[in-house]
Amino acid sequence: MELRVVVAPVFGTNCCVVSAGTDCVVVDAGAGVAEAVGRLIDDAGLTPRAVLATHGHADHTWDAGALCERYGIPMRLHEADAYRLADPFGTLSPALEAALGLHRDDYQAPAVIEPFATPGGSALLTFGEVTLRALHAPGHTEGSTLYRPDGDVVLTGDVLFAGSVGRTDLHGGSGQVMAETLRDVVRGLDPALAVVPGHGPATTVARELESNPFLAAERR
């Protein structure tokens, strides 16, 4: 498994290209990454199989439609967040919508959306040679998901950051549910895993378990 990161110019979203052999998936196609991601894929001789999202907020899905159309591939995300793709601003605050600097008329929804369920809290997703474990991790949104590719990394979206966690005050967020996710999902991750969050620098599960104040609070 190989992971390449392209940082979106809008809100610095970490867009990840996860590949195994010549197959790949794109995770979190934030605003402004389509061309750079397309060049990366084409230059590496990769075959995209799907675009995934850790959750349905616009800064993680804005360029998904363009990449899906370019490669004729579906959009995959947790079923609890699929409704967000029809209206990328419908569940965001007006202040956050303005901060993104995006315009509704420029949005292209993916033509084919294939939501997945996580019975028992997880699901195994296979795309050619790429396999990921999807771990349902609600709290930031109802369908927030961690992705565990084969290897020593976890993609945490806006659930876990270096030194912090995702906000819970937007539509579909819940502080209580986030606390349960931190306790039951994040704290159950292998400490040896590297963490690539939805924004900001990479970290490790071990480092966050030791020093992240939100996870430290869970130990008390």
Side-chain angles (χ1 to χ4, degrees), residues 122-143:
S122 71
L124 193 64
L125 307 178
T126 300
F127 308 92
E129 295 187 57
V130 179
T131 300
L132 306 94
R133 173 70 62 178
L135 304 173
H136 190 206
H140 180 63
T141 66
E142 309 96 319

Side-chain angles (χ1 to χ4, degrees), residues 172-190:
S174 167
Q176 179 179 343
V177 174
M178 177 66 88
E180 293 169 356
T181 285
L182 296 176
R183 181 192 66 213
D184 300 336
V185 181
V186 174
R187 289 190 59 79
L189 295 170
D190 182 348

Side-chain angles (χ1 to χ4, degrees), residues 18-215:
V18 181
S19 62
T22 59
D23 294 321
C24 73
V25 296
V26 178
V27 181
D28 284 349
V33 301
E35 284 305 312
V37 169
R39 286 195 301 271
L40 185 159
I41 288 170
D42 295 344
D43 290 348
L46 299 173
T47 301
R49 299 300 183 185
V51 175
L52 282 68
T54 57
H55 62 289
H57 282 158
D59 56 322
H60 291 255
T61 63
W62 189 265
D63 275 15
L67 287 167
C68 288
E69 179 180 57
R70 177 170 179 165
Y71 294 107
I73 54 178
M75 174 73 179
R76 305 293 310 275
L77 78 168
H78 195 280
E79 61 183 4
D81 265 19
Y83 75 96
R84 296 174 182 271
L85 297 178
D87 181 0
F89 294 131
T91 59
L92 297 179
S93 69
L96 187 54
E97 178 180 338
L100 287 171
L102 304 174
H103 303 283
R104 292 175 183 269
D105 292 344
D106 297 330
Y107 176 65
Q108 176 185 351
V112 178
I113 301 169
E114 298 178 355
F116 58 81
T118 50
S122 71
L124 193 64
L125 307 178
T126 300
F127 308 92
E129 295 187 57
V130 179
T131 300
L132 306 94
R133 173 70 62 178
L135 304 173
H136 190 206
H140 180 63
T141 66
E142 309 96 319
S144 287
T145 302
L146 311 183
Y147 291 113
R148 277 278 290 109
D150 290 337
D152 56 357
V153 66
V154 58
L155 312 182
T156 59
D158 287 5
V159 174
L160 179 67
F161 302 120
S164 189
V165 298
R167 60 190 294 179
T168 60
D169 60 327
L170 298 174
H171 174 87
S174 167
Q176 179 179 343
V177 174
M178 177 66 88
E180 293 169 356
T181 285
L182 296 176
R183 181 192 66 213
D184 300 336
V185 181
V186 174
R187 289 190 59 79
L189 295 170
D190 182 348
L193 292 174
V195 172
V196 179
H199 307 270
T203 181
T204 66
V205 172
R207 184 178 301 136
E208 298 313 305
L209 291 175
E210 178 64 28
S211 62
N212 189 309
F214 296 91
L215 289 170

